[in-house]
Amino acid sequence: MPLETIVVNDENLFDIFVIGAGPSGLTAALYGARSGLKTSFIDRSTPGGKVASLKNVSNYPGYESISGSELATIFYKQAVNAGAKYIYGNVSNVLKKLGYWAIYGEDGNTWFTKALIIATGMENKKLNISGEKDYQGIGISYCVTCDGNLAKNKVATIYGNVEETFSSAIYLSTIASKVNLVTSKTSIDEKFANAIANNKNINVITDAIPYEIEGDAFNVSDLVIKKDNEISKIKSDFIFVIDGYVPATNFVSDLGIIENNIIKVNENKATNLEGIYAIGDVSKLDNHQIITATNDGAIAGMNAVKYVKEAFKVNDTK
């Protein structure tokens, strides 16, 4: 293996580094930057997280009604205007190196920080079956409202076991020529049962488990399922996986900070590793609200600032 030649310098060294740019992450970045410490935040999608996709927010104090995209933009602008640096990208790994926490980006870049705040939230639950990774973006999607038009006049298959699965199937039936609704449940949720049963464009397959995704070099062709211990294929031009969310923690799975699928933290939002904090949905099983996320960000931001100034004898840079 080639020797690793990573250098810590002023350009890639930060006092506080936030992974994730949802409400919690942007709030933490705001507090870090306002303290005068060199702060950065990284995200692979639109700043604001899932909030940015909400049509309307009416339960965030200070606004009777505001669109999610507007609120997300306000969070982002406040953090950047305070001095936080935005980095577009995705993190693949975090390691302790050269006395700092090293953040490795999928693009090959590496950053170092004195305090790390993890705010990656939840990600779409995957099937984790053969063929899934091969067709992501070219035949598989995890968002019907985002990519439904890609299945226009095509045979679409949607899999999942949550309310969003069934509501999405109904919506998708207005776009696709045919919708195969596959669920591991033995029956459709009562809330949606009548609407789906009366929809001639939806074919329901219950008590089935996805087994494999097949296709050629360019397109998906079938979802292979297992039902009653028998394997069969469902013709599919496009597949949607709508089965809820899980905490996005893969990149820190080896650090020993995960318990019951979430990152365990104390009242200061600190993990059991010195200098690492976790906030928002990645650190809790319930109370997934914008206001609780921003509260987490403020607590972690203030405690990270205190830690950096005390542990590294850092003074304000502003």
Side-chain angles (χ1 to χ4, degrees):
M1 293 179 62
L3 292 175
E4 191 173 33
T5 56
I6 298 176
V7 178
V8 181
N9 55 44
D10 289 341
E11 185 178 348
N12 67 349
L13 175 61
F14 294 88
D15 294 317
I16 297 176
F17 196 99
V18 183
I19 304 177
S24 63
L26 290 174
T27 302
L30 170 64
Y31 273 75
R34 281 177 57 86
S35 74
L37 298 186
K38 186 179 178 183
T39 303
S40 181
F41 62 95
I42 185 171
D43 204 303
R44 62 183 173 182
S45 58
T46 304
K50 292 182 176 61
V51 169
S53 64
L54 299 177
K55 290 183 179 179
N56 180 265
V57 176
S58 57
N59 63 347
Y60 189 77
Y63 298 95
E64 282 192 26
S65 179
I66 186 172
S67 71
S69 60
E70 287 180 286
L71 186 57
T73 299
I74 292 170
F75 287 146
Y76 170 76
K77 285 183 176 180
Q78 282 183 305
V80 171
N81 290 342
K85 178 182 179 181
Y86 169 49
I87 299 173
Y88 176 81
N90 194 35
V91 175
S92 60
N93 199 14
V94 172
L95 294 172
K96 188 75 172 183
K97 188 174 285 291
L98 304 175
Y100 304 104
W101 287 107
I103 301 102
Y104 294 85
E106 286 186 349
D107 58 4
N109 285 313
T110 303
W111 304 273
F112 294 86
T113 188
K114 296 162 188 172
L116 174 65
I117 300 176
I118 301 170
T120 44
M122 309 283 275
E123 62 184 0
N124 299 97
K125 189 181 292 185
K126 305 293 196 302
L127 295 175
N128 295 317
I129 59 176
S130 176
E132 183 175 20
K133 289 184 178 180
D134 299 331
Y135 293 103
Q136 283 184 23
I138 58 172
I140 298 176
S141 173
Y142 303 88
C143 177
V144 171
T145 55
C146 307
D147 298 322
N149 283 336
L150 297 177
K152 187 174 183 180
N153 299 324
K154 295 181 180 180
V155 177
T157 295
I158 182 169
Y159 170 80
N161 304 286
V162 298
E163 284 196 1
E164 189 182 354
T165 311
F166 307 122
S167 61
S168 294
I170 295 170
Y171 169 70
L172 190 59
S173 70
T174 65
I175 301 171
S177 61
K178 177 183 177 181
V179 176
N180 295 303
L181 170 57
V182 181
T183 179
S184 299
K185 290 188 171 185
T186 55
S187 62
I188 301 299
D189 286 6
E190 185 176 347
K191 181 178 179 180
F192 304 95
N194 288 336
I196 290 175
N198 294 325
N199 192 319
K200 296 180 180 179
N201 207 27
I202 300 178
N203 173 44
V204 178
I205 304 167
T206 59
D207 200 21
I209 300 173
Y211 187 78
E212 185 179 359
I213 295 170
E214 295 183 344
D216 57 27
F218 305 101
N219 300 291
V220 165
S221 62
D222 301 278
L223 173 64
V224 182
I225 63 169
K226 187 175 183 180
K227 178 178 171 66
D228 299 328
N229 291 320
E230 294 186 1
I231 301 297
S232 61
K233 296 183 180 181
I234 301 174
K235 170 75 171 80
S236 308
D237 298 319
F238 209 95
I239 296 172
F240 293 91
V241 180
I242 311 295
D243 198 26
Y245 305 90
V246 293
T249 58
N250 285 343
F251 65 101
V252 290
S253 59
D254 297 329
L255 292 182
I257 59 177
I258 300 172
E259 186 176 304
N260 296 325
N261 295 321
I262 61 173
I263 299 178
K264 186 178 180 180
V265 297
N266 62 19
E267 67 276 9
N268 294 325
K269 307 304 173 185
T271 68
N272 61 325
L273 295 179
E274 185 176 347
I276 295 187
Y277 303 80
I279 53 178
D281 292 349
V282 78
S283 64
K284 60 184 66 177
L285 295 173
D286 53 14
N287 294 325
H288 298 158
Q289 301 293 315
I290 302 172
I291 190 68
T292 57
T294 56
N295 177 66
D296 283 3
I299 293 172
M302 288 187 288
N303 280 291
V305 167
K306 182 180 178 182
Y307 165 75
V308 170
K309 289 184 176 181
E310 291 179 353
F312 291 86
K313 310 299 180 185
V314 174
N315 296 317
D316 293 356
T317 58
K318 289 185 178 178

